Amino acid sequence: MKKADMKVYRERLLDLRARLRGDVSSMADSALRKSGMNGEGTASMPIHMAELGSENYEQEFTLSLLATEGNRLEMIESALDRVEAGTYGQCVHCEKVVPKTRLNAIPYTPLCIKCAELRSQGKLEMKD
């Protein structure tokens, strides 16, 4: 990949990382505030059991989103490492070129389409 292209993708990855970090921070604050773990003591006990169930569901949903976004942040960091190493845009499994259309859609993807399909079918183990 050309250095100019690499620079464009690096900027995209940095922007995406900054946005996700803000989202993750906001979700974490929200989850902690609802659970009363932020030290402010603002959590109030729901009066009705349905309210308690709704609050538990919302908190579990937020925590699930946090885990997903955390994984995405790790993938972005890994992609930035590949940019620095000069291997960005190359499949980490088969080492073939990842098409720009795929990188435009998922800039942090480590796999080409073929390897991603194999992985989704459980036929490909990721290298460490």
Side-chain angles (χ1 to χ4, degrees):
M1 181 177 289
K2 297 177 186 174
K3 285 188 179 187
D5 291 337
M6 198 82 80
K7 184 176 180 180
V8 169
Y9 285 111
R10 182 179 180 277
E11 290 301 318
R12 269 191 208 158
L13 289 164
L14 289 172
D15 289 343
L16 186 56
R17 180 179 69 179
R19 189 172 72 235
L20 282 176
R21 280 182 176 169
D23 290 349
V24 167
S25 177
S26 175
M27 283 189 286
D29 290 346
S30 175
L32 290 174
R33 189 171 33 257
K34 286 180 182 176
S35 70
M37 295 177 67
N38 62 351
E40 295 177 11
T42 59
S44 61
M45 185 60 135
I47 297 172
H48 194 272
M49 288 300 288
E51 289 179 38
L52 180 61
S54 293
E55 285 187 13
N56 285 341
Y57 173 78
E58 286 178 25
Q59 187 174 23
E60 286 180 27
F61 184 75
T62 301
L63 292 173
S64 174
L65 286 174
L66 280 169
T68 300
E69 297 303 319
N71 290 340
R72 190 168 298 154
L73 279 170
E74 288 175 13
M75 291 178 74
I76 291 169
E77 291 295 337
S78 179
L80 287 167
D81 290 344
R82 291 192 305 276
V83 168
E84 295 302 317
T87 60
Y88 180 79
Q90 183 178 351
C91 179
V92 297
H93 183 72
C94 70
E95 299 182 358
K96 292 183 180 175
V97 173
V98 177
K100 284 187 180 180
T101 53
R102 180 161 171 78
L103 292 174
N104 288 336
I106 311 169
Y108 48 85
T109 186
L111 300 171
C112 66
I113 294 170
K114 184 178 178 182
C115 290
E117 287 174 356
L118 290 172
R119 183 175 182 210
S120 70
Q121 296 168 359
K123 298 177 181 177
L124 174 71
E125 293 287 326
M126 287 296 290
K127 298 177 184 177
D128 286 337

